[in-house]
Amino acid sequence: MVLLEPDPFLSELHKMYERNKNGSVWITMKRSNMKPRKTKKPDPKREYVCLIRANDGKRHISTTVSPTQYAKFSQSMVIIMKGAMADTLKRKEKKKDK
Amino acid sequence: MYVEDFEAFYEQSVALYQANPLATRYTIKFRHSEGKVVLKVTDDRTCLKFKTDQQVDLRKIERITTIFFPLMACGELPAEGQDAAATAQQAPAAAAAQAGAGGKKARRRG
């Protein structure tokens, strides 16, 4: 499991989607109170982070997003996801498809 | 357990998360070869899943993903929490507003 910074994570995620046109990609998000190893006493009130993992069955990558970073990160991640999924998913039969 | 209706899935997911934030995880599985997306929210007791292969549902995926980011990164978001309930009722407009604001949106009080 490789713990990456948010930006490299996003580019790895993109590559992972590119590589797995015949397979699956899982993204898991959870709230974490994981501490950097230096801080021994966790302060329950602050510094929860959002832990994000991606997995294609062969490689795992992960990153953490702090409350200050999430807005930008979530936008970028959604764009990557949509980019990867948009071509594959079925269009609606109506004319009005996105 | 698969939930057919997205709105129900959305509400139940947020409720499940809020009941037990540290134990709940949210997974997006994308199966490229079949063109299928499965969203899953579970706290290891209850498991909620939503499955789609429609492109129009991308917007829903985006919506639920962008709500989980602030929930998970900042934890308690009372304003957003209330909005989430309100959002579920006025789905399309609110979803668009939320997508545009990137998860941060103005409070709406009726």
Side-chain angles (χ1 to χ4, degrees):
Chain A
M1 178 81 82
V2 196
L3 186 62
L4 298 166
E5 290 295 308
D7 287 343
F9 176 84
L10 288 170
S11 61
E12 283 294 319
L13 178 66
H14 182 64
K15 283 186 212 155
M16 198 177 261
Y17 273 130
E18 289 293 309
R19 274 204 306 268
N20 285 282
K21 299 239 160 161
N22 296 316
S24 312
V25 176
W26 288 259
I27 298 176
T28 305
M29 290 166 50
K30 80 184 296 273
R31 191 160 187 231
S32 168
N33 54 359
M34 191 174 69
K35 293 286 141 191
R37 280 178 211 136
K38 290 169 196 164
T39 41
K40 287 192 176 167
K41 282 209 168 178
D43 178 356
K45 272 197 172 172
R46 56 186 293 272
E47 283 309 307
Y48 282 99
V49 292
C50 180
L51 176 67
I52 296 136
R53 303 191 188 104
N55 171 12
D56 64 355
K58 297 185 266 318
R59 269 197 81 196
H60 299 251
I61 52 174
S62 60
T63 189
T64 55
V65 177
S66 72
T68 48
Q69 298 167 316
Y70 79 84
K72 205 179 121 210
F73 184 87
S74 75
Q75 274 183 348
S76 318
M77 200 180 103
V78 164
I79 290 169
I80 291 175
M81 269 167 45
K82 281 167 83 178
M85 293 172 184
D87 301 336
T88 319
L89 300 188
K90 284 180 194 156
R91 282 168 190 272
K92 222 178 176 182
E93 284 169 9
K94 281 184 190 171
K95 290 168 199 166
K96 253 194 184 177
D97 48 11
K98 212 184 94 188
Chain B
M1 173 184 107
Y2 279 106
V3 181
E4 296 294 324
D5 178 39
F6 180 78
E7 295 306 331
F9 174 73
Y10 183 97
E11 279 179 44
Q12 289 174 31
S13 305
V14 173
L16 185 67
Y17 172 77
Q18 281 170 339
N20 202 348
L22 276 175
T24 308
R25 63 186 180 275
Y26 164 54
T27 303
I28 309 156
K29 174 185 173 186
F30 177 46
R31 185 141 179 79
H32 212 300
S33 45
E34 291 173 32
K36 197 170 78 177
V37 181
V38 180
L39 306 179
K40 171 167 147 179
V41 180
T42 179
D43 67 349
D44 291 333
R45 287 179 190 80
T46 315
C47 175
L48 303 165
K49 294 210 265 185
F50 178 79
K51 183 168 65 175
T52 182
D53 58 0
Q54 297 297 318
Q55 207 174 64
V56 282
D57 288 340
L58 269 181
R59 211 178 290 172
K60 298 176 185 165
I61 297 171
E62 180 181 351
R63 191 173 129 216
I64 195 162
T65 307
T66 45
I67 191 78
F68 267 118
F69 265 106
L71 278 173
M72 288 180 168
C74 307
E76 310 291 319
L77 282 190
E80 294 252 350
Q82 281 170 10
D83 269 9
T87 311
Q89 280 146 23
Q90 9 167 317
Q98 189 186 347
K104 276 192 179 177
K105 52 185 174 148
R107 270 195 191 188
R108 207 173 286 181
R109 292 212 166 167

